Structures are given as C-alpha cells and as structure tokens.
Amino acid sequence: MAFLDWVLHPTELWAGFWYVMRHAPPDEKTNKLQVSGEMKRCYDFLEMTSRSFAAVIQELNPKLRDGICLFYLVLRGLDTIEDDMTIPGAKKRHLLESFHEIIYQKGWTFKESGPDEKDAILLVEFEVVIAEFLRLPTEYQEVIADITRRMGAGMAKYTRSRVVTMDDYDEYCHYVAGLVGHGLSRLFAVSGLEDKSVGENLELANSMGLFLQKTNITRDINEDVLDGRCFWPKAVWSKYAENEEEIISKRNRDNGLCALNEMCVNALSYIPHVMDYLSQIKEPSVFRFCAIPQVMAIATIVLCFNNANVLDDNVKIRKGEALKLISQATTMDNVKRVFYWYLVALEKKNHPGSHMYEEVRKITDKAKKDIASTLKGGAPVDFTFEYLLIGLFLVTAFFFFYSYSQSTQQQQL
C-alpha cells in the first residue's frame, strides 16, 4: 500500500528523495550543530520526543536554536506529567503549578512516570535540561518560565474541570497551545531576528496555536475516547450523542460525522489569522519553523472533514505528502498556494446537503478570495502536475511492454 502511494504521487516521491539527501541522521545533525555534552543530550531528547519538530528546530538560526529546543523540552516535560494518568490528582496539580519553579532547581528529576509514558526518559534525566536552561540569556529564561507558569496553571485547572462550553474549549486550547504561540513569538522578538511587534500582537500568535491544537484534538477523537478522556466540547458532541463513547460508535455513525464536521469548521475558522501571522515573519528559518506545522494542519483538517475513518482510528496524512509540504513551506507565496489547493480539495468533499455545508462554503470562498487577491499572479491554475507524470509513466510503461511483447513474438517466429 505504501509503495502504491508513492507511485500514485510521484511528486511526493521526489520530495522524499530530496528530504533524505538534505537531512543527515540524528548523530550527524548534532555534530554539525557543534554542540557537545549536556546540550547534545538535549538534542537527543528532542529527536526522541518529536522527530518532526526536531528537524525544523535544528534548522533555526543559531540565535534561537538552543532556546527553542529547551523551550520545547520544558513544555514536553510539563505535558508528560499532564498526560500521565497514573499520577494522583493532587500530586499532578502540584507538579503542574510549580513546574516553572522546578526548572530553576539544579539536579531535579522525576522517576515516577507510569510504565506507558513514552517520554518518561526526559523526566528521568531532566537535570540535563535544567542545567542548559540556566545557561540561556536571562530574557530567554524569563519568557520560558512565564509561559510554563501560565500553562501549568491552566493544565492544573483542567485536571478537575471538563471542556463543556465553546469558551472552555478555547480556553483549554489557549493554555496548551496558544501560550506556546505567545512564547515563541516573544522569543522571536527577544532574539532580534523578528520585529518587536511580533512579540506584542499575541492574538495572532494565539490563533496559530489554536489552529494546530484544534486540528489535533479533532483528529485524535478515537484515541482520546478509548483512553477515557475527551477534549471535544460537550456543547458540540452532546447534540449528536448521549455520551463520549457514542461519538465514535458505528451505530451512531451519521451523527458522529456531523459532530466531526462541526469540529473541523471550528478549526478552519483560524485560517485568516494564520495567513496574517505568517505574513509578518521575515527571517527565513523562523518562517519555515512557523509555516511547516501550519501546512501540515490544513492538510490534516481537510483529510478529517467528512471522513468516517477519523471515528475509527488515528488518521494521518501520507508520509510523502508531509515531506512534500515541508519542501513547499519556504515562502509566503508557496504557503498561500498550499492553503489554496487544500481549500479546493475541501470544496470537493463538501457536498450540498451535508452537515455544515454552508459554513464550509463560506470559509472556503472567503479564504480562497483573500489568498488569490494577495498572491502574485492571482489564483493558482487548476492543474495537477502529478496527473501528467502518472499519465506519462503509464504511456511509457505501455510502450515498453508493447515493444517487449513484439520483440518476444519475433524471436519465437
């Protein structure tokens, strides 16, 4: 099946080839970064906990690279504690609420994670992260500690509260993702690589985080419900199901799809802010760092829309598709083209009479119009290069086998 995917999407095969050529194995990457000792171990942790983020972080400008690596690891440690269902509630809340102080405690480690926590090793050796964090410039430390404090408090709140209303949903996503957007934007500005306004217009930064988080929450419904939790707001799912388990039940499939489409529409509403935020980023490595997760998110949310497989499994975009998106997220014009084409794909999935049809149509019409009006050369032409390549391949294969057949027949004669 994977081989067929590559054959049917030759431009993805090409993107994969160039990705492999451009990206060295993890050990070679860290050697190339000229880091050693404890910071090298931090980059090892980065590779262990997120291969996708590791690649873009390691390509950042040196003024930001170590700081954002450590920012990610601090928040990953915090998130690992939040996700661990084996930690008693009171202890978990204390850890979450005090984590911004813990990162200043030399030698602190945590060895009580549950057996299923895949990132437990990070907390077991967390003194390494702390040591490197304390070597960062003070202004970097202050941003990271402030975001950790606010995020930890929000996570602690939602160990006791549930996501009921749409306001709850927005607030929870702000705590776990919007604040990441705040912190990154402030670090961009503190580094001097971006204008100070980037670190001040935090509404746009919040939307960047919410688009990613809401896409992930929408996609992960099956896994989350089976794990005994649900981050879809009750205000949405209660219209279509009696309880969370019924959302993914095959007996309730039509209603489950209605709930899914409503969640997709909520995530799609952030597209204008995403475009505005990316338009203000000037430094190339920072732009790629910001743009890559966003193009992945638009591809994922379009894949999820009206897709019953989301209710049965954790769906993901093809690996080749992801590598192609990485190769395209280099300029604002390229990103606009990517969003435009996925909006076209969304239109094709949005059938008249289906639930949320009008809402999706309004979002796609406006977003396409806005993108086309600012894109050099106007709207992209409706042409898929892959179809030409596939056709060329089939024609070539036909003539090859025809010639081979004729040659074989002549030899037999």
Side-chain angles (χ1 to χ4, degrees):
M1 189 65 180
F3 174 75
L4 184 60
D5 282 340
W6 288 109
V7 170
L8 293 176
H9 302 89
T11 56
E12 294 177 10
L13 180 61
W14 186 250
F17 170 76
W18 280 110
Y19 183 86
V20 171
M21 294 295 291
R22 288 182 63 246
H23 292 80
D27 287 344
E28 291 183 26
K29 285 182 188 176
T30 51
N31 290 336
K32 187 177 179 181
L33 295 178
Q34 297 181 334
V35 296
S36 59
E38 292 178 322
M39 196 61 219
K40 185 177 186 301
R41 185 58 176 159
C42 288
Y43 280 106
D44 290 341
F45 288 139
L46 187 63
E47 290 281 351
M48 291 178 203
T49 55
S50 176
R51 295 297 298 272
S52 56
F53 274 114
V56 288
I57 288 175
Q58 291 178 38
E59 292 181 1
L60 277 167
N61 187 293
K63 288 185 177 180
L64 273 171
R65 191 168 52 218
D66 289 355
I68 289 184
C69 172
L70 293 164
F71 183 38
Y72 175 86
L73 292 177
V74 166
L75 297 187
R76 174 56 68 185
L78 185 71
D79 189 60
T80 301
I81 290 172
E82 186 209 20
D83 284 345
D84 193 340
M85 304 304 287
T86 68
I87 301 175
K91 184 171 186 175
K92 179 184 287 191
R93 284 188 288 275
H94 172 72
L95 287 168
L96 294 173
E97 290 170 343
S98 62
F99 208 73
H100 66 288
E101 298 171 343
I102 287 171
I103 59 177
Y104 286 97
Q105 297 175 17
K106 293 181 180 180
W108 185 90
T109 62
F110 185 77
K111 301 178 181 178
E112 301 170 43
S113 298
D116 297 328
E117 287 304 313
K118 60 183 177 61
D119 296 330
I121 184 63
L122 173 63
L123 292 175
V124 170
E125 298 183 43
F126 204 72
E127 77 276 11
V128 174
V129 177
I130 292 173
E132 289 300 323
F133 167 77
L134 294 174
R135 293 190 179 99
L136 287 174
T138 302
E139 58 267 32
Y140 285 55
Q141 292 183 30
E142 289 173 351
V143 171
I144 294 172
D146 179 52
I147 297 300
T148 303
R149 175 184 61 81
R150 294 160 65 189
M151 185 180 291
M155 287 177 169
K157 174 181 176 179
Y158 279 93
T159 61
R160 287 184 274 198
S161 302
R162 303 192 72 183
V163 179
V164 177
T165 67
M166 296 307 294
D167 286 342
D168 292 340
Y169 186 43
D170 289 344
E171 183 183 60
Y172 174 76
C173 290
H174 166 71
Y175 282 136
V176 299
L179 284 174
V180 179
H182 283 203
L184 289 171
S185 298
R186 288 165 61 185
L187 288 173
F188 298 158
V190 163
S191 73
L193 294 174
E194 298 293 343
D195 189 82
K196 65 178 182 179
S197 62
V198 172
E200 295 170 349
N201 190 355
L202 297 180
E203 181 182 359
L204 293 180
N206 186 63
S207 293
M208 290 279 283
L210 263 61
F211 183 51
L212 301 182
Q213 185 66 22
K214 289 188 173 185
T215 294
N216 289 337
I217 286 175
T218 300
R219 179 197 62 192
D220 293 344
I221 182 61
N222 179 271
E223 180 181 338
D224 286 340
V225 169
L226 293 179
D227 285 346
R229 56 190 178 185
C230 179
F231 297 106
W232 283 19
K234 187 176 181 180
V236 171
W237 65 255
S238 63
K239 292 187 285 186
Y240 309 102
E242 292 293 325
N243 51 57
E244 289 128 330
E245 291 76 16
E246 194 176 342
I247 302 171
I248 62 173
S249 170
K250 291 185 183 296
R251 297 189 302 274
N252 192 43
R253 188 47 39 97
D254 288 344
N255 283 331
L257 274 174
C258 288
L260 171 64
N261 288 350
E262 191 165 335
M263 293 295 294
C264 289
V265 166
N266 184 268
L268 289 163
S269 66
Y270 293 96
I271 290 176
H273 274 183
V274 170
M275 294 290 103
D276 289 344
Y277 183 92
L278 291 175
S279 295
Q280 68 182 343
I281 301 298
K282 306 303 179 187
E283 205 279 334
S285 71
V286 174
F287 181 85
R288 283 178 56 79
F289 175 80
C290 296
I292 288 172
Q294 302 298 324
V295 295
M296 298 285 193
I298 185 64
T300 300
I301 203 67
V302 170
L303 175 64
C304 289
F305 180 76
N306 218 25
N307 184 353
N309 292 331
V310 175
L311 304 175
D312 296 325
D313 202 358
N314 188 277
V315 302
K316 292 183 179 180
I317 61 175
R318 297 182 305 275
K319 188 171 183 179
E321 185 177 6
L323 295 177
K324 183 178 177 180
L325 289 170
I326 290 171
S327 72
Q328 292 174 325
T330 54
T331 68
M332 193 63 216
D333 270 2
N334 283 352
V335 169
K336 287 177 180 178
R337 288 188 180 92
V338 168
F339 269 75
Y340 190 95
W341 280 117
Y342 278 105
L343 289 167
V344 170
L346 181 62
E347 283 181 320
K348 293 175 180 177
K349 297 179 71 175
N350 188 37
H351 307 298
S354 62
H355 186 62
M356 305 304 288
Y357 170 78
E358 283 298 327
E359 289 81 356
V360 171
R361 187 182 62 80
K362 289 176 184 177
I363 288 173
T364 54
D365 285 352
K366 184 178 187 309
K368 284 173 58 186
K369 182 179 179 181
D370 290 345
I371 290 171
S373 67
T374 59
L375 188 61
K376 294 175 183 177
V381 178
D382 188 8
F383 174 76
T384 304
F385 185 58
E386 283 190 338
Y387 293 152
L388 177 62
L389 289 178
I390 293 170
L392 184 62
F393 171 79
L394 291 175
V395 170
T396 303
F398 171 78
F399 279 107
F400 173 81
F401 285 113
Y402 177 78
S403 299
Y404 178 77
S405 175
Q406 291 295 104
S407 174
T408 302
Q409 288 177 9
Q410 289 177 0
Q411 289 177 2
Q412 290 174 348
L413 291 174

